[in-house]
Amino acid sequence: MAPHHHPALSFRDFLDGLLTAGDAVPIARPVDPELEVGAVTRRAYETRSPAPLFSTLTGGAPGFRILGAPAGLGAADRGTYGRLAAHFGLERHSGPRDILEKLVSALHAVPVPPVVVADGPCKENIHRDDDVDLERFPVPLLHQGDGGRYLGTYGFHIVRSPDGSWTNWSVGRTMLRDRTTLVGPAMPQQHLGMIREMWRERGEPTPWAMVLGAPPAALAAAGMPLPARVSEDGYVGALAGGPVEVVRTETNGLYVPAHSEIVLEGYISTDETAPEGPMGEYHGYLFPESKPQPVFHVQAVTHRDDAVLPVCVAGVPPEENHTIWGTMISAEALDLLRSAGLPVDLAWCSYEAATCWMVISVDVRELAARRTTEAELVDAVARVLFGSHAGWLVPKVILVADDIDITDIDQVVWALATRYHPGTEYCFPDTPGIPMVPYLTPEEARTGRGGKSVISCLTPEQFLGTNRGTTASFRTSYPRALQQHVIDNWGAYGYR
């Protein structure tokens, strides 16, 4: 499939696929970017409704559109994970395991570097210098308590190390400050912050671009906690089965995906900061404080005709922080654990847990063969995970046997209720972690340490290869032939 007709490599083709599948709804009536876009999108998440495509907005210049909930979950008949699967060119009815195995497989494939092209759709309109006006876009106010309007909620930064050896694509939010500047986080533990520090040490601002309406596979990869100095662009090519087409920016020599909707170009200030936030966030809360964050100066804007601005309205899960970010964290963690030789079947950041826990299913046959103890297993898992970027992001880990489908939250809750014995939680108070976890104490948030644990829901018998009892369920309590007979006759029984 040619790159410009591949939904994983072209946001416009991805959107066309959603519309064709009935998983996006075109909204022609006038909608206000101030809160109304956010309210409609939040309700779409919470009712598992199709993604809203707003084409008539009462703010900003005419000709721009907004897509809400680009990776929200859908109704089962359209494929619960359909929008997420489409980011990777997978079938709409793909499930979590299908998606994870695709992501892990690409980690071990030969990287496919991007292809430089002379021009691309993102250059259909070019605004430079005095013609730059970010308020031309319908920048939404997403929650009534937000400290400002957010242009970047579903896009990624592009920066490059001064020696040119490392190009980093990383998801990050940016709040509108004025016509030519944005403000947003660049934490020193994040790759964006690391590269910014390299430029600061030279006394120079960081050349920077931001991509909105990016190729979906590129956006997802930018949210994956790959190791430092690994460039995401080659992984995207391996994941999509073909190279990303990139085009040179107008002002600073970076390369951006040619099939993007909107591209901002400029630099990150060396020392200038401004208040950012508050904002409704991925953990489901909005705290009232704003923080000083780096200022991003925009020197050029390029965009497609009828450009589409995708937005994530962060908050109570599931939304894109959970479906995209959580899934990419899961894939990286799964690969790390498998590569370390641990008896792991699957790893999954339950969407409902707001990327604050990861559930790991353990192959109990292999576990028994190892003749290890619970403490030894927990220590090995913690050493691998909490020493990685993926583990830095997720504070709690839950271990369960592989008879549990960890992508089914009902089964995870059942395992927690019936298999977790008080006292089988192992705390790691000195382990580094992301300071945005809402239950951290002020001291833990300040130092970036604490609040991390591994919870074992493995029973003593499972370390010996046996179980205390068998599961009583449709899948386990009846002969397979009878199960199939019931499924085949479900409608005859009178069920839909």
Side-chain angles (χ1 to χ4, degrees), residues 233-394:
D233 49 15
Y235 173 71
V236 175
L239 180 60
V244 183
E245 292 184 350
V246 296
V247 64
R248 188 181 173 92
T249 56
E250 297 292 307
T251 60
N252 59 19
L254 296 173
Y255 287 87
V256 298
H259 292 271
S260 303
E261 296 289 317
I262 301 166
V263 176
L264 314 179
E265 307 175 17
Y267 63 91
I268 311 172
S269 175
T270 304
D271 297 304
E272 184 184 5
T273 63
E276 184 265 334
M279 180 191 184
E281 298 201 40
Y282 76 93
H283 41 58
Y285 300 96
L286 187 151
F287 296 113
E289 302 87 4
S290 64
K291 295 179 180 178
Q293 301 285 15
V295 174
F296 297 73
H297 289 264
V298 181
Q299 297 170 303
V301 176
T302 70
H303 63 83
R304 294 189 70 150
D305 294 334
D306 300 315
V308 181
L309 172 68
V311 299
C312 164
V313 186
V316 172
E319 37 88 346
E320 285 75 20
N321 285 295
H322 318 115
T323 61
I324 290 287
W325 192 39
T327 300
M328 305 309 285
I329 293 170
S330 302
E332 175 68 10
L334 177 58
D335 186 58
L336 287 169
L337 292 163
R338 284 179 176 173
S339 298
L342 293 172
V344 169
D345 170 61
L346 203 67
W348 186 249
C349 288
S350 304
Y351 295 162
E352 297 81 359
T355 321
C356 287
W357 81 32
M358 176 183 295
V359 189
I360 296 171
S361 60
V362 176
D363 184 327
V364 293
R365 295 175 191 81
E366 188 179 342
L367 176 66
R370 288 168 176 254
R371 299 185 180 277
T372 189
T373 66
E374 181 178 81
E376 289 170 341
L377 177 65
V378 167
D379 183 66
V381 169
R383 188 168 56 250
V384 171
L385 265 189
F386 292 157
S388 71
H389 189 35
W392 179 75
L393 295 166
V394 181

Side-chain angles (χ1 to χ4, degrees), residues 478-486:
Y478 307 96
R480 288 190 178 183
L482 179 58
Q483 292 179 44
Q484 193 59 51
H485 173 79
V486 170

